[in-house]
Protein backbone atom coordinates (compact mmCIF):
# COMPACT_ATOMS: atom_id res chain seq x y z
CA UNK A 1 0.00 0.00 0.00
CA UNK A 2 1.11 3.54 -0.65
CA UNK A 3 2.46 5.42 2.32
CA UNK A 4 3.90 8.85 2.95
CA UNK A 5 6.36 9.45 5.76
CA UNK A 6 7.18 12.71 7.41
CA UNK A 7 9.83 11.93 9.98
CA UNK A 8 9.86 15.30 11.73
CA UNK A 9 6.81 15.59 13.94
CA UNK A 10 7.64 18.92 15.50
CA UNK A 11 10.32 21.35 14.40
CA UNK A 12 11.19 24.47 16.38
CA UNK A 13 13.27 27.16 14.72
CA UNK A 14 14.24 30.74 15.36
CA UNK A 15 13.36 33.37 12.81
CA UNK A 16 15.80 33.56 9.89
CA UNK A 17 16.86 29.94 10.34
CA UNK A 18 16.74 27.65 7.32
CA UNK A 19 14.09 24.98 7.09
CA UNK A 20 14.03 21.54 5.57
CA UNK A 21 11.15 19.16 6.17
CA UNK A 22 11.49 15.61 4.98
CA UNK A 23 8.93 13.64 2.98
CA UNK A 24 9.37 10.13 1.66
CA UNK A 25 6.82 8.02 -0.12
CA UNK A 26 6.52 4.39 -1.05
CA UNK A 27 5.13 3.94 -4.52
CA UNK A 28 6.98 2.54 -7.47
CA UNK A 29 5.13 4.29 -10.23
CA UNK A 30 4.83 7.87 -11.38
CA UNK A 31 3.44 10.25 -8.82
CA UNK A 32 2.21 13.78 -8.40
CA UNK A 33 3.55 15.42 -5.24
CA UNK A 34 2.20 18.20 -3.07
CA UNK A 35 2.94 20.17 0.04
CA UNK A 36 0.00 21.66 1.90
CA UNK A 37 0.14 24.05 4.84
CA UNK A 38 -2.41 24.56 7.58
CA UNK A 39 -2.04 27.76 9.54
CA UNK A 40 -3.62 27.81 13.01
CA UNK A 41 -7.38 27.84 12.70
CA UNK A 42 -7.32 27.78 8.92
CA UNK A 43 -7.86 25.20 6.21
CA UNK A 44 -5.31 23.28 4.20
CA UNK A 45 -3.71 25.43 1.54
CA UNK A 46 -1.57 24.29 -1.37
CA UNK A 47 2.04 25.44 -1.01
CA UNK A 48 3.49 23.84 -4.10
CA UNK A 49 3.17 20.88 -6.42
CA UNK A 50 5.27 18.69 -8.68
CA UNK A 51 3.91 16.84 -11.69
CA UNK A 52 6.87 16.51 -14.05
CA UNK A 53 9.86 18.39 -15.44
CA UNK A 54 12.28 20.38 -13.30
CA UNK A 55 12.54 18.50 -10.00
CA UNK A 56 13.06 21.75 -8.09
CA UNK A 57 9.72 23.48 -7.74
CA UNK A 58 8.99 26.83 -6.22
CA UNK A 59 5.82 27.62 -4.37
CA UNK A 60 4.26 30.47 -2.52
CA UNK A 61 5.82 32.40 0.34
CA UNK A 62 9.40 31.53 -0.59
CA UNK A 63 9.03 27.78 -0.21
CA UNK A 64 10.57 25.28 -2.58
CA UNK A 65 10.77 21.52 -2.78
CA UNK A 66 13.03 19.09 -4.56
CA UNK A 67 11.88 15.80 -6.02
CA UNK A 68 14.58 13.14 -5.87
CA UNK A 69 13.19 10.13 -7.66
CA UNK A 70 15.95 7.75 -6.60
CA UNK A 71 15.25 8.54 -2.96
CA UNK A 72 11.46 8.68 -3.27
CA UNK A 73 11.69 12.03 -1.55
CA UNK A 74 10.10 15.44 -1.87
CA UNK A 75 11.63 17.62 0.83
CA UNK A 76 10.35 21.10 1.55
CA UNK A 77 12.81 23.94 2.07
CA UNK A 78 12.87 27.60 2.91
CA UNK A 79 16.11 29.55 3.31
CA UNK A 80 14.87 31.87 6.04
CA UNK A 81 11.71 31.25 8.05
CA UNK A 82 9.48 33.87 9.59
CA UNK A 83 7.24 33.77 12.64
CA UNK A 84 4.26 33.71 10.27
CA UNK A 85 5.43 30.34 8.91
CA UNK A 86 4.31 28.71 12.15
CA UNK A 87 1.88 26.06 10.90
CA UNK A 88 1.39 22.37 10.20
CA UNK A 89 2.91 21.13 6.94
CA UNK A 90 1.59 18.11 5.10
CA UNK A 91 3.19 16.20 2.27
CA UNK A 92 0.77 14.44 -0.07
CA UNK A 93 1.15 12.02 -2.95
CA UNK A 94 -1.17 11.20 -5.81
CA UNK A 95 -0.13 8.07 -7.71
CA UNK A 96 -0.76 8.67 -11.38
CA UNK A 97 -3.24 5.83 -11.72
CA UNK A 98 -6.12 7.93 -12.94
CA UNK A 99 -7.66 8.37 -9.50
CA UNK A 100 -7.23 11.78 -7.91
CA UNK A 101 -7.18 10.80 -4.24
CA UNK A 102 -4.29 12.06 -2.16
CA UNK A 103 -2.27 10.11 0.37
CA UNK A 104 -1.06 12.33 3.17
CA UNK A 105 1.81 12.17 5.59
CA UNK A 106 1.22 12.66 9.31
CA UNK A 107 2.27 16.28 9.11
CA UNK A 108 5.07 18.29 10.67
CA UNK A 109 4.32 21.04 13.11
CA UNK A 110 6.65 23.99 12.63
CA UNK A 111 7.02 26.52 15.41
CA UNK A 112 9.04 29.62 14.59
CA UNK A 113 10.24 31.60 17.57
CA UNK A 114 10.52 35.35 17.03
CA UNK B 1 -10.69 34.03 -4.50
CA UNK B 2 -13.26 31.21 -4.49
CA UNK B 3 -13.12 28.85 -1.53
CA UNK B 4 -14.59 25.56 -0.41
CA UNK B 5 -16.90 26.10 2.54
CA UNK B 6 -18.13 23.60 5.11
CA UNK B 7 -20.88 23.61 7.71
CA UNK B 8 -21.09 23.22 10.58
CA UNK B 9 -17.64 23.99 11.89
CA UNK B 10 -18.25 21.77 14.90
CA UNK B 11 -20.85 19.04 15.35
CA UNK B 12 -21.44 17.19 18.59
CA UNK B 13 -23.62 14.10 18.47
CA UNK B 14 -24.53 11.05 20.49
CA UNK B 15 -23.31 7.63 19.47
CA UNK B 16 -25.78 5.95 17.12
CA UNK B 17 -27.16 9.21 15.75
CA UNK B 18 -27.03 10.19 12.11
CA UNK B 19 -25.04 13.23 11.05
CA UNK B 20 -24.83 15.10 7.77
CA UNK B 21 -21.79 17.20 7.04
CA UNK B 22 -22.18 19.80 4.35
CA UNK B 23 -19.78 21.24 1.83
CA UNK B 24 -20.05 23.81 -0.92
CA UNK B 25 -17.26 23.14 -3.43
CA UNK B 26 -15.77 25.79 -5.68
CA UNK B 27 -18.44 26.54 -8.23
CA UNK B 28 -16.79 25.38 -11.46
CA UNK B 29 -15.20 22.28 -9.94
CA UNK B 30 -16.62 18.89 -10.84
CA UNK B 31 -14.57 16.54 -8.65
CA UNK B 32 -15.35 16.35 -4.96
CA UNK B 33 -13.67 14.57 -2.07
CA UNK B 34 -14.02 13.82 1.60
CA UNK B 35 -11.07 13.24 3.89
CA UNK B 36 -10.89 12.83 7.63
CA UNK B 37 -8.22 13.41 10.24
CA UNK B 38 -8.48 11.70 13.60
CA UNK B 39 -6.72 13.74 16.26
CA UNK B 40 -3.00 13.16 16.09
CA UNK B 41 -3.17 11.05 12.95
CA UNK B 42 -2.76 11.67 9.26
CA UNK B 43 -5.34 13.01 6.88
CA UNK B 44 -7.05 9.99 5.29
CA UNK B 45 -8.92 9.77 2.02
CA UNK B 46 -12.54 8.65 2.32
CA UNK B 47 -14.22 9.08 -1.05
CA UNK B 48 -14.17 10.89 -4.36
CA UNK B 49 -17.22 11.83 -6.37
CA UNK B 50 -17.68 12.82 -9.98
CA UNK B 51 -20.63 13.00 -12.32
CA UNK B 52 -23.06 12.10 -9.54
CA UNK B 53 -21.36 8.90 -8.58
CA UNK B 54 -18.55 7.66 -6.39
CA UNK B 55 -15.25 7.40 -8.28
CA UNK B 56 -13.06 5.95 -5.56
CA UNK B 57 -13.52 5.03 -1.95
CA UNK B 58 -11.23 3.82 0.77
CA UNK B 59 -11.66 0.95 3.19
CA UNK B 60 -12.83 3.44 5.80
CA UNK B 61 -15.84 4.38 3.67
CA UNK B 62 -18.09 1.50 4.66
CA UNK B 63 -21.87 1.13 4.53
CA UNK B 64 -22.27 3.63 7.36
CA UNK B 65 -21.11 6.40 5.04
CA UNK B 66 -22.80 7.90 2.03
CA UNK B 67 -22.30 10.96 -0.12
CA UNK B 68 -24.72 12.98 -2.13
CA UNK B 69 -24.89 16.06 -4.29
CA UNK B 70 -28.48 17.03 -3.54
CA UNK B 71 -28.43 20.16 -5.66
CA UNK B 72 -26.10 22.14 -7.89
CA UNK B 73 -24.00 23.50 -5.08
CA UNK B 74 -23.92 21.24 -2.01
CA UNK B 75 -21.97 18.05 -1.45
CA UNK B 76 -22.81 16.09 1.69
CA UNK B 77 -21.33 13.30 3.75
CA UNK B 78 -23.77 11.28 5.84
CA UNK B 79 -22.82 8.97 8.65
CA UNK B 80 -25.84 6.82 9.45
CA UNK B 81 -25.06 5.60 12.93
CA UNK B 82 -22.08 7.34 14.43
CA UNK B 83 -19.51 5.53 16.49
CA UNK B 84 -17.05 6.94 18.99
CA UNK B 85 -14.23 6.30 16.52
CA UNK B 86 -15.89 8.54 13.95
CA UNK B 87 -14.78 11.53 16.00
CA UNK B 88 -12.45 13.42 13.71
CA UNK B 89 -12.01 16.47 11.56
CA UNK B 90 -13.72 15.97 8.22
CA UNK B 91 -12.40 17.89 5.24
CA UNK B 92 -14.15 18.44 1.94
CA UNK B 93 -12.11 19.21 -1.17
CA UNK B 94 -12.79 19.91 -4.82
CA UNK B 95 -10.80 20.03 -8.01
CA UNK B 96 -11.38 21.21 -11.53
CA UNK B 97 -11.63 18.94 -14.54
CA UNK B 98 -8.17 17.90 -15.71
CA UNK B 99 -6.49 19.29 -12.59
CA UNK B 100 -5.08 17.14 -9.83
CA UNK B 101 -4.60 19.80 -7.19
CA UNK B 102 -7.40 19.88 -4.67
CA UNK B 103 -8.72 22.82 -2.73
CA UNK B 104 -9.77 22.10 0.81
CA UNK B 105 -12.45 23.50 3.05
CA UNK B 106 -11.87 24.51 6.67
CA UNK B 107 -13.20 21.23 8.01
CA UNK B 108 -15.97 20.09 10.33
CA UNK B 109 -14.93 18.81 13.72
CA UNK B 110 -17.20 15.90 14.60
CA UNK B 111 -17.36 14.82 18.21
CA UNK B 112 -19.25 11.63 19.01
CA UNK B 113 -20.16 11.18 22.66
Amino acid sequence: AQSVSQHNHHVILSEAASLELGCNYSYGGTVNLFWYVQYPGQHLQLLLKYFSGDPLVKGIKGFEAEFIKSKFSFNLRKPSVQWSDTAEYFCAVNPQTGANNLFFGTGTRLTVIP
Amino acid sequence: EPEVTQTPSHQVTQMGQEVILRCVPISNHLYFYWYRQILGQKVEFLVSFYNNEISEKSEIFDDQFSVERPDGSNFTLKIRSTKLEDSAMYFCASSATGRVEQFFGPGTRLTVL
Side-chain angles (χ1 to χ4, degrees):
Chain A
Q2 299 89 342
S3 70
V4 182
S5 300
Q6 291 182 247
H7 303 294
N8 312 107
H9 298 293
H10 191 187
V11 173
I12 303 173
L13 295 172
S14 298
E15 274 194 318
S18 64
L19 169 72
E20 180 160 1
L21 301 183
C23 173
N24 289 89
Y25 64 93
S26 63
Y27 184 72
T30 308
V31 295
N32 299 313
L33 298 158
F34 305 85
W35 275 97
Y36 282 86
V37 60
Q38 187 174 31
Y39 298 103
Q42 298 189 27
H43 58 277
L44 287 161
Q45 300 174 39
L46 183 64
L47 259 185
L48 46 78
K49 58 185 185 273
Y50 171 81
F51 294 158
S52 64
D54 188 345
L56 184 63
V57 293
K58 296 190 184 300
I60 60 172
K61 307 187 181 188
F63 286 90
E64 64 179 32
E66 184 175 12
F67 170 52
I68 303 179
K69 188 175 182 180
S70 60
K71 294 185 178 180
F72 297 88
S73 70
F74 189 55
N75 291 356
L76 180 71
R77 299 196 291 250
K78 186 171 183 177
S80 175
V81 295
Q82 301 171 310
W83 175 79
S84 58
D85 293 325
T86 295
E88 187 112 17
Y89 292 81
F90 295 91
C91 180
V93 173
N94 163 245
Q96 289 188 17
T97 58
N100 284 347
N101 43 305
L102 298 175
F103 295 90
F104 281 85
T106 50
T108 297
R109 181 177 301 279
L110 173 64
T111 301
V112 180
I113 301 169
Chain B
E1 185 174 330
E3 290 184 339
V4 177
T5 60
Q6 290 185 244
T7 55
S9 56
H10 190 189
Q11 174 91 47
V12 181
T13 189
Q14 296 288 330
M15 190 170 56
Q17 296 296 304
E18 174 183 287
V19 295
I20 298 177
L21 310 182
R22 302 179 193 282
C23 168
V24 178
I26 293 172
S27 63
N28 63 343
H29 287 184
L30 298 179
Y31 291 82
F32 315 121
Y33 313 85
W34 283 102
Y35 292 82
R36 78 170 185 193
Q37 185 180 27
I38 295 171
L39 188 64
Q41 299 184 25
K42 63 176 67 178
V43 177
E44 299 173 293
F45 168 75
L46 291 178
V47 65
S48 61
F49 190 86
Y50 171 71
N51 199 24
N52 282 321
E53 61 184 30
I54 291 173
S55 309
E56 299 281 333
K57 61 181 181 178
S58 70
E59 294 172 352
I60 304 167
F61 194 86
D62 61 21
D63 292 343
Q64 293 294 324
F65 293 89
S66 62
V67 289
E68 192 179 28
R69 186 153 165 85
D71 53 45
S73 60
N74 288 283
F75 178 53
T76 62
L77 174 70
K78 182 193 291 187
I79 309 175
R80 286 190 186 81
S81 177
T82 50
K83 302 186 286 278
L84 294 176
E85 54 265 38
D86 293 327
S87 294
M89 192 73 138
Y90 288 81
F91 294 102
C92 174
S94 68
S95 63
T97 302
R99 304 300 296 261
V100 179
E101 57 264 49
Q102 297 174 21
F103 294 83
F104 283 79
T108 293
R109 181 171 299 283
L110 175 66
T111 302
V112 182
L113 302 176

